Amino acid sequence: MYKALRQLLFSLDAEAVHHLSMRWLRSFGRSIFFSNLIKARYKAQDDPIEFAGLIFKNRVGLAAGFDKNAKYLHELDLLGFGHVEIGTVTPQPQPGNDRPRLFRLPKDKALINRMGFNNAGVHAAAGGLRHYRKYGKRQMIIGGNIGKNKTTPNEDAWRDYQACFKELHDLVDYFVVNVSSPNTPGLRELQDKDALKKILTTLQELNAGYQKKRPIFLKIAPDLTTAQLNDIVDLVLEIALDGMVVSNTTVSREGLKTEAGIVEKIGQGGLSGKPLMKQSTEVVEYINKQSNGKIPMIASGGIFTGKDAQEKLAVGASLVQVWTGFVYEGPGIAKRITKHLKKL
Ligand SMILES: Cc1cc2nc3c(=O)[nH]c(=O)nc-3n(C[C@H](O)[C@H](O)[C@H](O)COP(=O)(O)O)c2cc1C
């Protein structure tokens, strides 16, 4: 049924459809009857799993950037996700890049986005999270993916991460430090060891002062060199960071089936979906080997099916996240993947 609907949705602007679909789901979700119906239809099948000291109801989550402002958590809960990562949030609201900034590549089952951390600011996200904590069923684990404002210079970036961390600490179950979006100029430079160490250790020190500690993960790009990856692995082990999310979107355009002219016309942005699968799996595998399996990982990148998820788990990830797969496969994706994983 989703395939028929998808044809219609794909004829409309990608970003508009994203908001429209969530608003539809929200209207249905408001009725107890439909809410129970959706919940029963999309109930995930996997068993609970412990990761970084947290109990996830299953291994499939929704990656960052889908619910940036924590507005749709109740609705996403109905679709069977074990966790949702809200954000990326920045201290101040910011509009992001000009539209259009989200593009479909149906021949490749991919997306290109250059959203640029459009979000309503950490304060608004905190409001959404409070609402979910108060009225939601609270069955999902919620991650807070945090970033810096576009206008904040890199040397002050740690202050932005700190501000978001403080505001969300009571409201999320784990944090992800995002230094890997290709759409905020200079952000990926924060993946260099010294810059990263400053941000991560600042947050760890802050975390140590709270009675309830929140696991902190680092989300990296799939485009890093081996030397950069080695530096990151060393740092993560040295400071005993809780884990990593691997990976964000790629700036590569290699091997696409979509005509080169179309890809060129779309322009800059991060590529996600099927073409990212192999590249990001290789990074998970490399980190796992290089760290002797000592770094807990959440895999993100090109996961559409149970088999894709199984591949990520086989090379060292413990949990998986979907984003582009949700757009192409529809609302039953968490159920289908968890069903496959349960059978293993
Ligand atoms: C439109 C869009 C917006 C995104 N925004 C964010 C974001 O704000 N923060 C982030 O860490 N990742 C963001 N991502 C990256 C996803 O979280 C995910 O890591 C990436 O898309 C790879 O997974 P996929 O192939 O399943 O889509 C975004 C991806 C898309 C397609």
Side-chain angles (χ1 to χ4, degrees), residues 63-66 68 85 87-88 102 111 113 115 117 145 178 180 219 247-249 272-274 276 300-304 321-325:
F66 200 96
K68 286 183 186 265
E85 203 170 294
T88 297
L102 177 59
L111 296 171
N113 90 84
M115 308 301 285
F117 285 175
N145 182 306
N178 181 12
S180 47
K219 184 167 180 179
S247 69
N248 213 314
T249 54
S272 58
K274 287 271 181 206
L276 175 61
S300 156
I303 300 165
F304 281 52
Q321 295 181 335
V322 298
W323 204 126
T324 307

Side-chain angles (χ1 to χ4, degrees), residues 9 12-28 65-72 75-76 87 94-95 97 99 101-102 104 115 118-120 323 326-327:
L9 295 176
L12 306 169
D13 172 71
E15 189 173 347
V17 167
H18 174 65
H19 296 297
L20 182 72
S21 327
M22 292 319 292
R23 280 202 293 270
W24 277 348
L25 188 61
R26 170 170 288 176
S27 334
F28 281 118
F66 200 96
D67 189 8
K68 286 183 186 265
N69 301 309
K71 271 171 65 179
Y72 299 111
E75 290 74 16
L76 294 168
Q94 58 180 30
N97 294 319
R99 291 189 192 198
R101 52 194 179 178
L102 177 59
R104 299 183 199 94
M115 308 301 285
N118 57 308
N119 78 109
W323 204 126
F326 190 25
V327 171

